[in-house]
Amino acid sequence: MESSRIKRKRQKEIMLVSQMIKLYCHKNHTNQNGKELCDECQELIEYACERSEKCRFMKNKTFCSNCRIQCYSPEMKKRIQEVMRYSGPRIIIYHPVLCLKHALTGVIEKRRTKRD
């Protein structure tokens, strides 16, 4: 059974990735038929969520980019890297609290893994 700490960590990761993909989509793709996201970006969010839900290393990893096992397919990895390169520097403008929490999580997790 999954601990509540790992569940919260997984939810935070999914929320952050979703926000970054939404920012990327709104700034780079046209709004199609009044939908919040284009089909391509919606597919990427669903894929990222699925990967996060199935991650066996959630307990010990800080972020997917730091994981020793890259579970994204080559095509999806390329797409998520493009999103991260665009959204990473800009997300702080739109979601400063989320970015601060993300940075703190990274520091805390790195300290925890050094202790263990």
Side-chain angles (χ1 to χ4, degrees):
M1 198 161 197
E2 194 172 65
S3 76
S4 61
R5 184 181 74 80
I6 295 172
K7 268 187 188 174
R8 283 192 313 273
K9 188 176 176 183
R10 194 180 304 274
Q11 289 170 342
K12 287 177 187 178
E13 182 174 296
I14 289 170
M15 184 177 66
L16 180 63
V17 169
S18 297
Q19 290 299 321
M20 292 179 87
I21 294 170
K22 287 176 185 178
L23 173 62
Y24 176 82
C25 187
H26 289 302
K27 298 295 182 179
N28 292 287
H29 300 145
T30 57
N31 189 340
Q32 300 173 358
N33 301 327
K35 294 195 291 188
E36 185 178 4
L37 297 173
C38 70
D39 293 338
E40 188 177 297
C41 289
Q42 184 61 44
E43 176 188 19
L44 187 57
I45 285 178
E46 290 168 9
Y47 184 82
C49 290
E50 178 185 324
R51 298 284 70 183
S52 184
E53 288 294 333
K54 292 181 179 180
C55 181
R56 300 182 321 230
F57 303 104
M58 188 60 71
K59 179 180 178 184
N60 298 320
K61 74 174 188 160
T62 52
F63 308 112
C64 288
S65 59
N66 298 336
C67 190
R68 59 186 168 153
I69 306 267
Q70 294 298 315
C71 63
Y72 279 49
S73 70
E75 177 195 345
M76 293 302 224
K77 184 177 178 181
K78 183 179 175 186
R79 287 172 55 187
I80 199 73
Q81 285 175 333
E82 182 180 337
V83 167
M84 295 298 159
R85 272 194 295 276
Y86 179 85
S87 297
R90 293 167 178 83
I91 195 81
I92 195 163
I93 296 167
Y94 298 94
H95 300 285
V97 174
L98 190 62
C99 290
L100 183 59
K101 287 180 181 180
H102 181 67
L104 278 169
T105 300
V107 170
I108 291 167
E109 289 297 322
K110 284 181 183 179
R111 285 186 181 169
R112 180 176 291 136
T113 55
K114 282 183 182 178
R115 279 192 313 219
D116 296 341

